[in-house]
Short mmCIF file of all heavy atoms in Angstrom, two decimals:
data_model
loop_
_atom_site.label_atom_id
_atom_site.label_comp_id
_atom_site.label_asym_id
_atom_site.label_seq_id
_atom_site.Cartn_x
_atom_site.Cartn_y
_atom_site.Cartn_z
N ASN B 24 91.94 76.78 113.86
CA ASN B 24 92.57 78.01 114.43
C ASN B 24 93.56 78.61 113.37
O ASN B 24 94.08 77.99 112.64
CB ASN B 24 93.38 77.57 115.73
CG ASN B 24 92.52 77.28 116.89
OD1 ASN B 24 91.95 76.06 117.00
ND2 ASN B 24 92.11 78.21 117.60
N TYR B 25 93.63 79.88 113.43
CA TYR B 25 94.38 80.59 112.51
C TYR B 25 95.42 81.52 113.12
O TYR B 25 95.32 81.84 114.33
CB TYR B 25 93.56 81.49 111.61
CG TYR B 25 92.88 82.62 112.32
CD1 TYR B 25 93.55 83.88 112.37
CD2 TYR B 25 91.74 82.51 113.03
CE1 TYR B 25 93.01 84.94 113.07
CE2 TYR B 25 91.13 83.49 113.79
CZ TYR B 25 91.81 84.74 113.70
OH TYR B 25 91.26 85.76 114.50
N SER B 26 96.36 81.87 112.45
CA SER B 26 97.39 82.92 112.77
C SER B 26 97.48 83.95 111.81
O SER B 26 97.60 83.61 110.59
CB SER B 26 98.73 82.23 113.09
OG SER B 26 99.77 83.21 113.24
N SER B 27 97.32 85.21 112.21
CA SER B 27 97.42 86.30 111.18
C SER B 27 97.78 87.58 111.97
O SER B 27 97.24 87.87 113.02
CB SER B 27 95.95 86.49 110.52
OG SER B 27 95.95 87.56 109.70
N SER B 28 98.68 88.37 111.27
CA SER B 28 99.07 89.58 111.92
C SER B 28 98.18 90.75 111.63
O SER B 28 98.31 91.83 112.19
CB SER B 28 100.43 89.91 111.32
OG SER B 28 100.45 90.05 110.00
N VAL B 29 97.25 90.58 110.69
CA VAL B 29 96.15 91.55 110.41
C VAL B 29 94.90 90.88 110.48
O VAL B 29 94.68 89.66 110.45
CB VAL B 29 96.48 92.13 109.00
CG1 VAL B 29 97.77 92.93 109.02
CG2 VAL B 29 96.34 91.08 107.89
N PRO B 30 93.76 91.71 110.52
CA PRO B 30 92.41 91.11 110.52
C PRO B 30 92.22 90.07 109.40
O PRO B 30 92.48 90.44 108.21
CB PRO B 30 91.53 92.28 110.42
CG PRO B 30 92.21 93.33 111.10
CD PRO B 30 93.63 93.15 110.63
N PRO B 31 91.89 88.83 109.70
CA PRO B 31 91.87 87.87 108.63
C PRO B 31 90.48 87.80 107.88
O PRO B 31 89.49 88.33 108.42
CB PRO B 31 92.03 86.54 109.43
CG PRO B 31 91.29 86.81 110.76
CD PRO B 31 91.49 88.27 110.98
N TYR B 32 90.58 87.16 106.78
CA TYR B 32 89.39 86.68 106.07
C TYR B 32 89.49 85.22 106.14
O TYR B 32 90.48 84.61 105.96
CB TYR B 32 89.34 87.20 104.58
CG TYR B 32 89.13 88.67 104.44
CD1 TYR B 32 89.74 89.41 103.41
CD2 TYR B 32 88.44 89.42 105.43
CE1 TYR B 32 89.49 90.72 103.20
CE2 TYR B 32 88.33 90.86 105.23
CZ TYR B 32 88.76 91.49 104.09
OH TYR B 32 88.73 92.77 103.96
N LEU B 33 88.39 84.59 106.53
CA LEU B 33 88.34 83.14 106.77
C LEU B 33 87.28 82.40 105.95
O LEU B 33 86.18 82.95 105.71
CB LEU B 33 88.12 82.96 108.25
CG LEU B 33 89.23 83.51 109.12
CD1 LEU B 33 88.71 83.70 110.60
CD2 LEU B 33 90.35 82.52 109.18
N PHE B 34 87.66 81.31 105.57
CA PHE B 34 86.81 80.44 104.70
C PHE B 34 86.78 79.04 105.19
O PHE B 34 87.65 78.52 105.77
CB PHE B 34 87.32 80.45 103.26
CG PHE B 34 87.60 81.77 102.63
CD1 PHE B 34 88.60 82.60 103.03
CD2 PHE B 34 86.67 82.23 101.62
CE1 PHE B 34 88.80 83.90 102.40
CE2 PHE B 34 86.86 83.45 101.07
CZ PHE B 34 87.89 84.30 101.32
N TRP B 35 85.58 78.38 104.84
CA TRP B 35 85.43 76.94 105.02
C TRP B 35 85.11 76.40 103.56
O TRP B 35 84.10 77.01 102.89
CB TRP B 35 84.52 76.46 105.91
CG TRP B 35 85.03 76.44 107.32
CD1 TRP B 35 84.82 77.29 108.44
CD2 TRP B 35 85.70 75.34 107.93
NE1 TRP B 35 85.42 76.80 109.52
CE2 TRP B 35 85.99 75.68 109.35
CE3 TRP B 35 86.24 74.11 107.45
CZ2 TRP B 35 86.73 74.80 110.11
CZ3 TRP B 35 86.91 73.25 108.26
CH2 TRP B 35 87.18 73.64 109.59
N TYR B 36 85.79 75.49 103.14
CA TYR B 36 85.52 74.82 101.87
C TYR B 36 85.23 73.36 102.17
O TYR B 36 85.80 72.73 103.09
CB TYR B 36 86.68 74.84 100.78
CG TYR B 36 86.82 76.14 100.20
CD1 TYR B 36 87.53 77.24 100.64
CD2 TYR B 36 86.28 76.37 98.84
CE1 TYR B 36 87.75 78.50 100.05
CE2 TYR B 36 86.45 77.60 98.24
CZ TYR B 36 87.15 78.62 98.72
OH TYR B 36 87.40 79.81 98.13
N VAL B 37 84.41 72.67 101.25
CA VAL B 37 84.14 71.23 101.41
C VAL B 37 84.54 70.57 100.00
O VAL B 37 84.41 71.22 99.04
CB VAL B 37 82.68 70.95 101.75
CG1 VAL B 37 81.71 71.51 100.55
CG2 VAL B 37 82.43 69.55 101.88
N GLN B 38 85.12 69.41 100.17
CA GLN B 38 85.52 68.64 99.02
C GLN B 38 84.94 67.17 99.09
O GLN B 38 85.33 66.50 99.90
CB GLN B 38 87.04 68.58 98.84
CG GLN B 38 87.55 67.89 97.54
CD GLN B 38 89.03 67.85 97.50
OE1 GLN B 38 89.76 67.82 98.55
NE2 GLN B 38 89.56 68.01 96.29
N TYR B 39 84.10 66.91 98.14
CA TYR B 39 83.43 65.60 98.00
C TYR B 39 84.39 64.74 97.22
O TYR B 39 85.22 65.31 96.44
CB TYR B 39 82.11 65.72 97.43
CG TYR B 39 81.16 66.40 98.28
CD1 TYR B 39 80.69 67.82 97.93
CD2 TYR B 39 80.57 65.87 99.49
CE1 TYR B 39 79.96 68.55 98.76
CE2 TYR B 39 79.69 66.64 100.25
CZ TYR B 39 79.44 67.91 99.90
OH TYR B 39 78.53 68.63 100.79
N PRO B 40 84.32 63.42 97.33
CA PRO B 40 85.28 62.59 96.54
C PRO B 40 85.16 62.95 95.06
O PRO B 40 84.20 63.09 94.47
CB PRO B 40 84.69 61.15 96.93
CG PRO B 40 84.03 61.38 98.23
CD PRO B 40 83.44 62.70 98.22
N ASN B 41 86.46 62.98 94.56
CA ASN B 41 86.68 63.19 93.10
C ASN B 41 86.03 64.52 92.58
O ASN B 41 85.71 64.64 91.41
CB ASN B 41 86.02 62.07 92.28
CG ASN B 41 86.55 60.71 92.65
OD1 ASN B 41 87.83 60.59 92.70
ND2 ASN B 41 85.87 59.73 92.83
N GLN B 42 86.10 65.51 93.47
CA GLN B 42 85.50 66.74 93.05
C GLN B 42 86.51 67.90 93.58
O GLN B 42 87.40 67.54 94.37
CB GLN B 42 84.10 67.07 93.65
CG GLN B 42 83.08 66.20 93.06
CD GLN B 42 81.70 66.53 93.53
OE1 GLN B 42 81.36 67.74 93.80
NE2 GLN B 42 80.78 65.56 93.58
N GLY B 43 86.33 69.10 93.11
CA GLY B 43 87.08 70.20 93.59
C GLY B 43 86.53 70.79 94.91
O GLY B 43 85.58 70.16 95.53
N LEU B 44 87.05 71.87 95.30
CA LEU B 44 86.58 72.45 96.52
C LEU B 44 85.37 73.37 96.30
O LEU B 44 85.38 74.13 95.28
CB LEU B 44 87.72 73.32 97.12
CG LEU B 44 88.72 72.53 98.01
CD1 LEU B 44 89.58 71.58 97.17
CD2 LEU B 44 89.59 73.53 98.79
N GLN B 45 84.40 73.31 97.28
CA GLN B 45 83.23 74.13 97.10
C GLN B 45 83.12 75.00 98.35
O GLN B 45 83.28 74.57 99.46
CB GLN B 45 81.98 73.26 97.01
CG GLN B 45 80.65 74.02 96.92
CD GLN B 45 79.52 73.03 96.94
OE1 GLN B 45 79.67 71.84 96.88
NE2 GLN B 45 78.27 73.68 96.88
N LEU B 46 82.86 76.27 98.14
CA LEU B 46 82.74 77.17 99.22
C LEU B 46 81.52 76.92 100.18
O LEU B 46 80.41 76.83 99.66
CB LEU B 46 82.63 78.62 98.84
CG LEU B 46 82.63 79.68 99.92
CD1 LEU B 46 83.92 79.87 100.70
CD2 LEU B 46 82.23 81.03 99.33
N LEU B 47 81.69 76.79 101.46
CA LEU B 47 80.70 76.56 102.44
C LEU B 47 80.20 77.87 102.95
O LEU B 47 79.05 78.21 103.10
CB LEU B 47 81.14 75.66 103.58
CG LEU B 47 81.03 74.22 103.48
CD1 LEU B 47 81.52 73.55 104.82
CD2 LEU B 47 79.55 73.76 103.19
N LEU B 48 81.19 78.71 103.51
CA LEU B 48 81.00 79.92 104.00
C LEU B 48 82.22 80.71 104.09
O LEU B 48 83.28 80.19 104.00
CB LEU B 48 80.24 79.79 105.38
CG LEU B 48 80.90 78.95 106.40
CD1 LEU B 48 82.08 79.48 107.12
CD2 LEU B 48 79.91 78.35 107.36
N LYS B 49 82.08 82.09 104.32
CA LYS B 49 83.24 82.87 104.53
C LYS B 49 82.94 84.03 105.43
O LYS B 49 81.84 84.53 105.54
CB LYS B 49 83.72 83.44 103.31
CG LYS B 49 82.87 84.50 102.54
CD LYS B 49 83.62 85.02 101.31
CE LYS B 49 82.73 86.10 100.57
NZ LYS B 49 83.34 86.58 99.48
N TYR B 50 84.00 84.49 106.22
CA TYR B 50 83.89 85.62 107.10
C TYR B 50 84.83 86.73 106.50
O TYR B 50 86.04 86.47 106.26
CB TYR B 50 84.35 85.25 108.52
CG TYR B 50 84.61 86.47 109.34
CD1 TYR B 50 83.56 87.15 109.91
CD2 TYR B 50 85.88 86.96 109.50
CE1 TYR B 50 83.70 88.33 110.65
CE2 TYR B 50 86.04 88.16 110.33
CZ TYR B 50 84.92 88.76 110.86
OH TYR B 50 85.20 89.86 111.58
N THR B 51 84.36 87.89 106.31
CA THR B 51 85.17 88.97 105.98
C THR B 51 85.19 90.03 107.08
O THR B 51 86.21 90.23 107.78
CB THR B 51 84.67 89.65 104.68
OG1 THR B 51 83.41 89.86 104.67
CG2 THR B 51 84.89 88.60 103.44
N THR B 52 84.05 90.73 107.26
CA THR B 52 83.97 91.68 108.34
C THR B 52 82.40 91.62 108.84
O THR B 52 81.63 90.92 108.20
CB THR B 52 84.22 93.10 107.89
OG1 THR B 52 83.31 93.51 106.84
CG2 THR B 52 85.68 93.28 107.36
N GLY B 53 82.18 92.29 109.93
CA GLY B 53 80.80 92.42 110.40
C GLY B 53 80.42 91.25 111.36
O GLY B 53 81.26 90.82 112.15
#
Side-chain angles (χ1 to χ4, degrees):
Chain B
N24 288 88
Y25 68 90
S26 172
S27 177
S28 56
V29 296
Y32 293 151
L33 295 158
F34 301 78
W35 275 101
Y36 282 86
V37 60
Q38 185 177 32
Y39 298 101
N41 300 314
Q42 294 188 29
L44 277 66
Q45 178 184 0
L46 181 72
L47 273 180
L48 49 82
K49 69 177 182 180
Y50 168 79
T51 52
T52 58

